[in-house]
Amino acid sequence: MDHHIPLITTLAAGFGIALLLGFIAEKLKIPALVGYLLAGIIIGPATPGFVADVQLAGQLSEIGVMLLMFGVGLHFSLKDLMAVKRIAVPGAVVQMTLATVLGMGVAMFWGWGWGAGLVFGLCLSCASTVVLLKALEARGVLESQNGRIAVGWLVVEDLATVLVLVLLPPLAGVLGGNVTEQSSSGNIWLTIVQTLLQVAAFIALMLIAGRRVLPWLLWQVAKTGSRELFTLSVVAAAISIAYGAAIVFHVSFALGAFFAGMVMRESEFSHRAADESLPLRDAFAVLFFVSVGMLFKPAVLIEEPLHVLAVVAIIMIGKSIAALGIVILFKYPLSTAMIVSASLAQIGEFSFIMAGLGVNLGILPQEGMSLVMAGALISIALNPLLFAAIEPSRRWIIGKSRVARRLERRQDPYAQLPMTTERKYLEGQIVLVGYGRVGRRIAAALDERGIPYVVAEQNREAVEDLRAKGKAAVAGNAADPAVLIQAHIAQAAMLVVATPDTLGVRQMADTARKLNPQIEIVLRTHSEEESELLRGDGTGTVFFGEEELAKGMTHHVLTRFAPKKNNGH
């Protein structure tokens, strides 16, 4: 039997050691990603013992990049970005610029060329999607306004990084790297325009044809009832589109897979596609991180400790201070600024993809890849500690600094109704908590009937838009009594909670009852147990989503069936 089986040994060693170290990392409350990277270091050529096939690992990592970017595209939400665009777009652009300038500065101080410095700075400027989402989710703030700002900020960073990945190959010669086929023409501007036109053609094809063809194909496969065929169709679409985009339009695998995910998100099968492809995406994502770890040279920690410290300082201090200052300038509370800055104080998968591309193009030296890796390992490992330190640090700073106390308590112009608000919104009105999918429909129905209402919404930009349309709205969490007081709950006829805020709904109801004992309260829940508890407590009229859906469907069935039944008799 032929025992020269490098693919199997690479997979066995990669998965096995990644499982062990990922498990240990999770037990230590560190993201499992750190364990995967360490697994790559152990089986890489820079450490003694077993060495996996680097070339094979590189190809497997390309598949990992495709599926990783496909997953990012599947979860990419332009709607989430637009909800916080006024702070996320300028914030991300300024923060990425500052981090890039800092990285470029230290790189040139070390004697690197300006092109290598630029790529190095860009690698340090983009945070990890995986780490940020898991950190916010673990702390229960992913769906909060602070979480939405951090995610929107990250979406802008992702889009900017995708653009950089597209432009790097044609600019390789100018940046001091290898002259590629894309960068071989004499006029660099012509090359850039050609590249952007190719990207635009690919995006147009995906948005026009892809949005129709992919959902239709998924529907045809779904009709067979075969789960494995559906999973195969999702994975085949991701890899085939990524490969086709690279061959036909000369764009990266990453961009092709990203847009494949974005287009598939438009399909009604997007959630099923995400669920069915998740195990394979996770498996190859692990291989991607393992293969990145194989490129790391641990000797850099001993040979160039000051360089490593400078990288970590840029990632965890420079980026954090920039994000903190930007959020404060936009008049958000100190607590919001600290959560956003902690969320972005790390780097991950996009940094590895960009650094790997920079090395392959001859722009970034191998040392740069090792420094990016070192910075990622240390910043990801320390990121949970940053989150844990937010609340104690905030209390200490507020206790010691008068300026910090003013920042935390300063008046948000959208946190109170303007003095010019019409009297009809201040007495006998409905206070509508939440302006999401349910809240918007309720508001539209109230507008049609001319019933006055005041919206209490955490999203400041939504409040700003409502006020621009002449609507009464206040920004803030309605679980805070001050928000309901600003909405004139004491004089309101009804409180309608249209957001499924399990934790805050009781506090909202209690505040409303204390200030207005006669007020009618209408609540929305997503849990049958919670709806029973709220009804038992007499909190108000409770609407449970699945229950109301069943009532509506039952009514439709009975009204259709009743005449036929009567005719039969």
Side-chain angles (χ1 to χ4, degrees):
M1 180 178 176
D2 184 7
H3 291 283
H4 182 65
I5 43 175
L7 176 60
I8 295 175
T9 53
T10 299
L11 288 174
F15 280 134
I17 300 175
L19 171 63
L20 176 62
L21 295 182
F23 177 78
I24 293 172
E26 286 288 349
K27 284 293 184 181
L28 296 174
K29 305 298 181 185
I30 298 171
L33 190 152
V34 174
Y36 306 153
L37 293 170
L38 290 174
I41 296 171
I42 289 173
I43 64 173
T47 53
F50 171 78
V51 177
D53 191 307
V54 178
Q55 289 187 336
L56 272 177
Q59 290 189 42
L60 292 171
S61 75
E62 287 286 5
I63 300 174
V65 168
M66 292 182 204
L67 294 177
L68 196 65
M69 293 298 294
F70 175 70
V72 172
L74 263 178
H75 294 95
F76 174 81
S77 174
L78 192 59
K79 182 181 175 183
D80 291 344
L81 171 58
M82 296 306 290
V84 292
K85 61 183 182 298
R86 291 186 182 90
I87 182 172
V89 175
V93 170
V94 172
Q95 183 241 294
M96 286 188 77
T97 302
L98 289 174
T100 301
V101 169
L102 286 172
M104 189 175 178
V106 297
M108 293 181 73
F109 177 75
W110 297 335
W112 297 7
W114 71 273
L118 177 63
V119 173
F120 183 67
L122 286 167
C123 290
L124 304 185
S125 69
C126 46
S128 166
T129 305
V130 175
V131 174
L132 183 140
L133 292 179
K134 286 187 176 180
L136 294 176
E137 194 172 23
R139 285 152 187 84
V141 295
L142 183 58
E143 296 299 326
S144 69
Q145 179 63 7
N146 295 340
R148 292 192 190 102
I149 292 171
V151 171
W153 195 304
L154 187 68
V155 167
V156 179
E157 287 191 0
D158 289 352
L159 289 175
T161 307
V162 167
L163 182 62
V164 171
L165 292 173
V166 168
L167 291 175
L168 265 186
L171 291 173
V174 177
L175 296 173
N178 304 325
V179 179
T180 64
E181 186 180 340
Q182 284 179 278
S183 61
S184 58
S185 68
N187 191 334
I188 188 61
W189 293 110
L190 178 62
T191 306
I192 292 173
V193 170
Q194 287 175 343
T195 301
L196 293 177
L197 285 175
Q198 288 172 333
V199 171
F202 169 69
I203 293 172
L205 180 66
M206 291 300 295
L207 294 180
I208 296 170
R211 289 176 70 176
R212 291 171 174 81
V213 175
L214 268 181
W216 180 82
L217 285 174
L218 287 179
W219 171 242
Q220 298 305 314
V221 175
K223 286 197 296 185
T224 67
S226 171
R227 181 176 177 177
E228 58 267 28
L229 271 180
F230 187 85
T231 304
L232 180 61
S233 66
V234 172
V235 175
I239 295 178
S240 300
I241 290 173
Y243 180 74
I247 297 299
V248 179
F249 295 97
H250 305 290
V251 301
S252 65
F253 290 140
L255 182 66
F258 176 74
F259 272 94
M262 271 190 67
V263 170
M264 202 167 286
R265 181 183 169 84
E266 300 292 320
S267 165
E268 61 190 50
F269 297 104
S270 59
H271 291 295
R272 184 179 171 187
D275 292 340
E276 298 288 354
S277 63
L278 185 61
L280 198 60
R281 283 191 286 125
D282 285 348
F284 276 96
V286 169
L287 285 178
F288 167 71
F289 292 118
V290 170
S291 67
V292 169
M294 291 172 67
L295 300 175
F296 179 58
K297 297 180 178 177
V300 73
L301 298 170
I302 300 170
E303 295 170 359
E304 297 176 341
L306 295 180
H307 288 193
V308 174
L309 283 175
V311 169
V312 173
I314 291 170
I315 297 169
M316 302 197 69
I317 300 175
K319 286 175 63 179
S320 294
I321 291 174
L324 188 79
I326 293 164
V327 177
I328 287 174
L329 282 175
F330 276 81
K331 298 184 178 179
Y332 281 84
L334 181 63
S335 56
T336 299
M338 294 179 77
I339 288 174
V340 173
S341 62
S343 300
L344 301 166
Q346 38 76 19
I347 59 173
E349 59 276 3
F350 267 122
S351 302
F352 304 147
I353 295 169
M354 195 183 305
L357 182 60
V359 171
N360 290 337
L361 293 172
I363 303 171
L364 189 69
Q366 189 63 48
E367 178 192 354
M369 183 70 182
S370 294
L371 288 172
V372 168
M373 272 286 303
L377 278 167
I378 296 170
S379 64
I380 292 171
L382 295 180
N383 196 246
L385 299 180
L386 272 184
F387 270 101
I390 288 176
E391 189 55 31
S393 300
R394 188 185 69 83
R395 288 199 298 265
W396 184 82
I397 292 170
I398 289 173
K400 296 290 183 180
S401 170
R402 211 175 285 173
V403 175
R405 286 195 292 273
R406 282 202 300 270
L407 288 174
E408 187 67 11
R409 292 199 303 260
R410 64 182 175 182
Q411 283 296 322
D412 182 345
Y414 295 105
Q416 53 188 350
L417 289 177
M419 298 295 290
T420 55
T421 303
E422 294 180 45
R423 186 169 183 80
K424 67 178 181 178
Y425 295 112
L426 309 179
E427 189 174 325
Q429 84 285 10
I430 291 174
V431 175
L432 177 60
V433 177
Y435 198 68
R437 288 174 297 177
V438 175
R440 288 175 194 275
R441 286 176 168 80
I442 295 172
L446 295 176
D447 284 332
E448 286 179 6
R449 292 161 179 77
I451 300 173
Y453 60 91
V454 177
V455 174
E457 168 61 47
Q458 291 190 64
N459 188 332
R460 275 200 341 171
E461 296 190 8
V463 172
E464 187 177 349
D465 290 338
L466 282 166
R467 290 196 184 180
K469 296 173 183 175
K471 309 292 184 185
V474 294
N477 186 347
D480 180 357
V483 175
L484 291 180
I485 290 170
Q486 284 298 327
H488 288 251
I489 194 73
Q491 290 79 38
M494 183 182 291
L495 170 67
V496 178
V497 181
T499 179
D501 185 353
T502 306
L503 298 175
V505 67
R506 289 176 181 276
Q507 196 166 345
M508 296 176 203
D510 289 344
T511 301
R513 291 272 186 231
K514 285 177 184 176
L515 297 174
N516 187 348
Q518 306 303 317
I519 195 169
E520 183 178 351
I521 299 176
V522 178
L523 307 170
R524 169 194 174 194
T525 72
H526 270 326
S527 163
E528 187 172 2
E529 293 78 10
E530 185 189 6
S531 65
E532 290 175 359
L533 287 171
L534 290 171
R535 284 167 181 160
D537 291 345
T539 306
T541 304
V542 181
F543 289 86
F544 169 45
E546 292 180 11
E547 182 179 74
E548 298 307 315
L549 178 63
K551 285 180 182 177
M553 292 178 71
T554 302
H555 175 73
H556 177 79
V557 170
L558 293 178
T559 53
R560 292 280 182 153
F561 181 71
K564 295 180 180 179
K565 184 177 179 182
N566 293 334
N567 291 338
H569 289 285

